[in-house]
Amino acid sequence: MLTEVSLSPWGDEKMLSDRGFKIVSFSGIDGAGKSTQIGALQARLSKLGLRSRVLTFWDDIVVLGGFRELISHKTFGGDEGVGSPDRPINRRDKNVTSAHVIGARLFLYFLDAAYLRLFCLKLRKTEADVVIFDRYIYDELANLPLHRWFARSYVRLILNIVPEPDMAYLVDADPAAARARKPEYPVEFLRQNRERYLALSGLAGNMTVIEPASLEAAEARMMDAWLGVRGISPGAAAMLEVPASEV
């Protein structure tokens, strides 16, 4: 039987940041399971009486997202939409790495970072206790050639512009398994993309890597990472129950 712990990850006073709410971001290669982990976190937060709001980086933050997607499709070809196991597609966008494309990304990602900063200032009026980002600026920066010095310098510049999440999760995954769940990009590109994400986590210094695991194990790792920030011993997530006063 589980031991009941009368505690939320944000403490008895819902220890929110100075901005008045927590920012949590989820990043990772396509098919890593970000949406699944976001759903698990939302369910846990709801049981704890905390209000959450989910924002999708491409839909809510990216500057001229629809136009960029149209231009990308017209220029590089490839399929449109979202791939699924019963409907695999072949996208051609972030797996294009020519010099002029990288140059365009440097400009566009700067615009996205500036808008993200302004957007988070506007979020001060939100009624949510926790704002969850399905992807964040990290997912754009992972498209850059991080083995090059100029890209690493650019990453540091961008990270100084955008708000730092209170918790930034990098959902890691085996590229072949991720491709099977969401068949959009070649496995080789996903392998390279995964390596860039891991390199980015080292540059950022604030990302918690959720290793490939079952849903239950990944969820426990996700919650333990946050509880550890609050000074609670690892493994406490397995004992976390909703207090009777919050039911």
Side-chain angles (χ1 to χ4, degrees):
M1 185 174 72
L2 296 179
T3 302
E4 182 174 308
V5 178
S6 297
L7 177 69
S8 84
W10 281 267
D12 294 334
E13 300 83 16
K14 294 181 183 177
M15 298 170 65
L16 302 180
S17 55
D18 292 339
R19 61 174 70 96
F21 57 90
K22 291 291 186 184
I23 291 180
V24 180
S25 67
F26 285 82
S27 300
I29 65 175
D30 293 89
K34 295 179 293 295
S35 297
T36 301
Q37 291 303 319
I38 289 172
L41 178 58
Q42 277 197 292
R44 182 64 64 89
L45 293 174
S46 179
K47 289 181 179 179
L48 293 168
L50 295 171
R51 298 163 297 180
S52 63
R53 175 184 178 186
V54 176
L55 297 170
T56 304
F57 194 82
W58 183 262
D59 295 330
D60 297 305
I61 303 299
V62 165
V63 177
L64 300 175
F67 177 74
R68 284 158 65 169
E69 188 169 4
L70 176 64
I71 292 298
S72 176
H73 179 67
K74 294 292 185 181
T75 304
F76 308 123
D79 298 326
E80 295 182 278
V82 177
S84 62
D86 58 341
R87 184 182 173 274
I89 63 174
N90 181 29
R91 293 184 65 95
R92 289 275 298 165
D93 39 44
K94 61 186 179 184
N95 52 338
V96 178
T97 57
S98 60
H100 71 278
V101 170
I102 291 174
R105 285 174 181 155
L106 296 178
F107 173 70
L108 292 171
Y109 294 173
F110 182 85
L111 295 182
D112 294 341
Y115 183 71
L116 175 60
R117 183 183 180 92
L118 293 174
F119 187 90
C120 287
L121 288 176
K122 295 178 182 179
L123 278 177
R124 291 180 181 275
K125 298 180 180 179
T126 185
E127 295 182 354
D129 298 304
V130 185
V131 175
I132 304 171
F133 279 91
D134 183 351
R135 296 190 181 277
Y136 202 62
I137 195 71
Y138 306 122
D139 294 270
E140 293 192 320
L141 299 178
N143 296 328
L144 299 176
L146 298 180
H147 62 287
R148 306 288 295 274
W149 68 267
F150 76 86
R152 296 193 298 273
S153 297
Y154 178 83
V155 165
R156 295 185 182 97
L157 169 66
I158 294 299
L159 294 181
N160 282 325
I161 295 174
V162 301
E164 180 178 328
D166 297 281
M167 178 59 71
Y169 291 112
L170 171 55
V171 183
D172 194 15
D174 172 70
R179 160 76 184 175
R181 287 191 292 267
K182 195 174 182 181
E184 295 181 352
Y185 297 97
V187 172
E188 183 55 35
F189 167 75
L190 292 178
R191 289 197 182 98
Q192 296 171 359
N193 199 210
R194 175 178 180 262
E195 291 174 1
R196 288 195 293 269
Y197 270 108
L198 294 174
L200 179 63
S201 69
L203 284 173
N206 67 325
M207 302 181 76
T208 297
V209 179
I210 307 299
E211 295 84 0
S214 66
L215 171 61
E216 294 78 9
E219 181 183 352
R221 168 75 175 116
M222 174 183 67
M223 295 304 299
D224 273 342
W226 184 255
L227 290 167
V229 173
R230 298 266 60 86
I232 302 163
S233 62
M239 299 187 298
L240 187 62
E241 295 292 338
V242 181
S245 61
E246 294 183 16
V247 175

PDB file of all heavy atoms in Angstrom, residues 119-131:
ATOM      1  N   PHE A 119       5.515  37.374 -25.067  1.00  0.00           N
ATOM      2  CA  PHE A 119       4.338  36.541 -24.796  1.00  0.00           C
ATOM      3  C   PHE A 119       4.289  36.146 -23.324  1.00  0.00           C
ATOM      4  O   PHE A 119       3.231  36.172 -22.691  1.00  0.00           O
ATOM      5  CB  PHE A 119       4.385  35.297 -25.682  1.00  0.00           C
ATOM      6  CG  PHE A 119       3.146  34.456 -25.617  1.00  0.00           C
ATOM      7  CD1 PHE A 119       2.085  34.684 -26.476  1.00  0.00           C
ATOM      8  CD2 PHE A 119       3.030  33.414 -24.695  1.00  0.00           C
ATOM      9  CE1 PHE A 119       0.934  33.907 -26.422  1.00  0.00           C
ATOM     10  CE2 PHE A 119       1.890  32.642 -24.627  1.00  0.00           C
ATOM     11  CZ  PHE A 119       0.839  32.887 -25.500  1.00  0.00           C
ATOM     12  N   CYS A 120       5.434  35.781 -22.766  1.00  0.00           N
ATOM     13  CA  CYS A 120       5.465  35.362 -21.358  1.00  0.00           C
ATOM     14  C   CYS A 120       5.178  36.532 -20.427  1.00  0.00           C
ATOM     15  O   CYS A 120       4.637  36.339 -19.334  1.00  0.00           O
ATOM     16  CB  CYS A 120       6.809  34.721 -21.030  1.00  0.00           C
ATOM     17  SG  CYS A 120       7.000  33.059 -21.740  1.00  0.00           S
ATOM     18  N   LEU A 121       5.513  37.740 -20.845  1.00  0.00           N
ATOM     19  CA  LEU A 121       5.154  38.911 -20.048  1.00  0.00           C
ATOM     20  C   LEU A 121       3.644  39.081 -20.014  1.00  0.00           C
ATOM     21  O   LEU A 121       3.053  39.397 -18.979  1.00  0.00           O
ATOM     22  CB  LEU A 121       5.815  40.168 -20.622  1.00  0.00           C
ATOM     23  CG  LEU A 121       7.328  40.297 -20.421  1.00  0.00           C
ATOM     24  CD1 LEU A 121       7.853  41.537 -21.139  1.00  0.00           C
ATOM     25  CD2 LEU A 121       7.665  40.369 -18.931  1.00  0.00           C
ATOM     26  N   LYS A 122       2.994  38.834 -21.154  1.00  0.00           N
ATOM     27  CA  LYS A 122       1.538  38.922 -21.212  1.00  0.00           C
ATOM     28  C   LYS A 122       0.874  37.830 -20.386  1.00  0.00           C
ATOM     29  O   LYS A 122      -0.249  37.993 -19.903  1.00  0.00           O
ATOM     30  CB  LYS A 122       1.061  38.821 -22.666  1.00  0.00           C
ATOM     31  CG  LYS A 122       1.504  39.975 -23.558  1.00  0.00           C
ATOM     32  CD  LYS A 122       1.020  39.766 -24.982  1.00  0.00           C
ATOM     33  CE  LYS A 122       1.499  40.887 -25.902  1.00  0.00           C
ATOM     34  NZ  LYS A 122       1.056  40.672 -27.311  1.00  0.00           N
ATOM     35  N   LEU A 123       1.569  36.711 -20.217  1.00  0.00           N
ATOM     36  CA  LEU A 123       1.010  35.591 -19.460  1.00  0.00           C
ATOM     37  C   LEU A 123       0.853  35.900 -17.974  1.00  0.00           C
ATOM     38  O   LEU A 123       0.251  35.114 -17.238  1.00  0.00           O
ATOM     39  CB  LEU A 123       1.886  34.345 -19.622  1.00  0.00           C
ATOM     40  CG  LEU A 123       1.671  33.511 -20.884  1.00  0.00           C
ATOM     41  CD1 LEU A 123       2.661  32.368 -20.925  1.00  0.00           C
ATOM     42  CD2 LEU A 123       0.250  32.984 -20.959  1.00  0.00           C
ATOM     43  N   ARG A 124       1.396  37.023 -17.532  1.00  0.00           N
ATOM     44  CA  ARG A 124       1.265  37.382 -16.117  1.00  0.00           C
ATOM     45  C   ARG A 124      -0.203  37.491 -15.712  1.00  0.00           C
ATOM     46  O   ARG A 124      -0.540  37.397 -14.536  1.00  0.00           O
ATOM     47  CB  ARG A 124       1.987  38.697 -15.819  1.00  0.00           C
ATOM     48  CG  ARG A 124       3.504  38.581 -15.917  1.00  0.00           C
ATOM     49  CD  ARG A 124       4.182  39.897 -15.605  1.00  0.00           C
ATOM     50  NE  ARG A 124       5.633  39.803 -15.717  1.00  0.00           N
ATOM     51  CZ  ARG A 124       6.421  39.384 -14.746  1.00  0.00           C
ATOM     52  NH1 ARG A 124       5.908  39.018 -13.585  1.00  0.00           N
ATOM     53  NH2 ARG A 124       7.737  39.322 -14.929  1.00  0.00           N
ATOM     54  N   LYS A 125      -1.081  37.689 -16.687  1.00  0.00           N
ATOM     55  CA  LYS A 125      -2.513  37.808 -16.407  1.00  0.00           C
ATOM     56  C   LYS A 125      -3.218  36.457 -16.417  1.00  0.00           C
ATOM     57  O   LYS A 125      -4.428  36.387 -16.169  1.00  0.00           O
ATOM     58  CB  LYS A 125      -3.168  38.725 -17.431  1.00  0.00           C
ATOM     59  CG  LYS A 125      -2.644  40.159 -17.419  1.00  0.00           C
ATOM     60  CD  LYS A 125      -3.344  41.015 -18.460  1.00  0.00           C
ATOM     61  CE  LYS A 125      -2.813  42.451 -18.449  1.00  0.00           C
ATOM     62  NZ  LYS A 125      -3.489  43.292 -19.478  1.00  0.00           N
ATOM     63  N   THR A 126      -2.488  35.381 -16.687  1.00  0.00           N
ATOM     64  CA  THR A 126      -3.131  34.072 -16.766  1.00  0.00           C
ATOM     65  C   THR A 126      -3.640  33.625 -15.400  1.00  0.00           C
ATOM     66  O   THR A 126      -3.086  33.989 -14.360  1.00  0.00           O
ATOM     67  CB  THR A 126      -2.160  33.009 -17.326  1.00  0.00           C
ATOM     68  OG1 THR A 126      -2.863  31.778 -17.507  1.00  0.00           O
ATOM     69  CG2 THR A 126      -0.989  32.777 -16.380  1.00  0.00           C
ATOM     70  N   GLU A 127      -4.686  32.848 -15.419  1.00  0.00           N
ATOM     71  CA  GLU A 127      -5.229  32.297 -14.174  1.00  0.00           C
ATOM     72  C   GLU A 127      -4.637  30.921 -13.876  1.00  0.00           C
ATOM     73  O   GLU A 127      -4.946  30.328 -12.844  1.00  0.00           O
ATOM     74  CB  GLU A 127      -6.753  32.199 -14.265  1.00  0.00           C
ATOM     75  CG  GLU A 127      -7.440  33.560 -14.372  1.00  0.00           C
ATOM     76  CD  GLU A 127      -8.952  33.438 -14.425  1.00  0.00           C
ATOM     77  OE1 GLU A 127      -9.444  32.279 -14.502  1.00  0.00           O
ATOM     78  OE2 GLU A 127      -9.630  34.475 -14.389  1.00  0.00           O
ATOM     79  N   ALA A 128      -3.805  30.430 -14.764  1.00  0.00           N
ATOM     80  CA  ALA A 128      -3.221  29.106 -14.579  1.00  0.00           C
ATOM     81  C   ALA A 128      -2.105  29.152 -13.542  1.00  0.00           C
ATOM     82  O   ALA A 128      -1.382  30.144 -13.417  1.00  0.00           O
ATOM     83  CB  ALA A 128      -2.678  28.584 -15.906  1.00  0.00           C
ATOM     84  N   ASP A 129      -1.983  28.075 -12.789  1.00  0.00           N
ATOM     85  CA  ASP A 129      -0.857  27.923 -11.865  1.00  0.00           C
ATOM     86  C   ASP A 129       0.383  27.439 -12.600  1.00  0.00           C
ATOM     87  O   ASP A 129       1.510  27.755 -12.216  1.00  0.00           O
ATOM     88  CB  ASP A 129      -1.209  26.924 -10.758  1.00  0.00           C
ATOM     89  CG  ASP A 129      -2.376  27.389  -9.915  1.00  0.00           C
ATOM     90  OD1 ASP A 129      -2.303  28.490  -9.360  1.00  0.00           O
ATOM     91  OD2 ASP A 129      -3.377  26.636  -9.831  1.00  0.00           O
ATOM     92  N   VAL A 130       0.158  26.665 -13.642  1.00  0.00           N
ATOM     93  CA  VAL A 130       1.260  26.078 -14.401  1.00  0.00           C
ATOM     94  C   VAL A 130       0.977  26.242 -15.889  1.00  0.00           C
ATOM     95  O   VAL A 130      -0.088  25.849 -16.371  1.00  0.00           O
ATOM     96  CB  VAL A 130       1.443  24.576 -14.078  1.00  0.00           C
ATOM     97  CG1 VAL A 130       2.664  24.019 -14.795  1.00  0.00           C
ATOM     98  CG2 VAL A 130       1.555  24.358 -12.583  1.00  0.00           C
ATOM     99  N   VAL A 131       1.916  26.823 -16.611  1.00  0.00           N
ATOM    100  CA  VAL A 131       1.819  26.947 -18.064  1.00  0.00           C
ATOM    101  C   VAL A 131       2.781  25.933 -18.672  1.00  0.00           C
ATOM    102  O   VAL A 131       3.990  25.979 -18.422  1.00  0.00           O
ATOM    103  CB  VAL A 131       2.168  28.366 -18.539  1.00  0.00           C
ATOM    104  CG1 VAL A 131       2.171  28.434 -20.069  1.00  0.00           C
ATOM    105  CG2 VAL A 131       1.170  29.375 -17.974  1.00  0.00           C
TER     106      VAL A 131
END
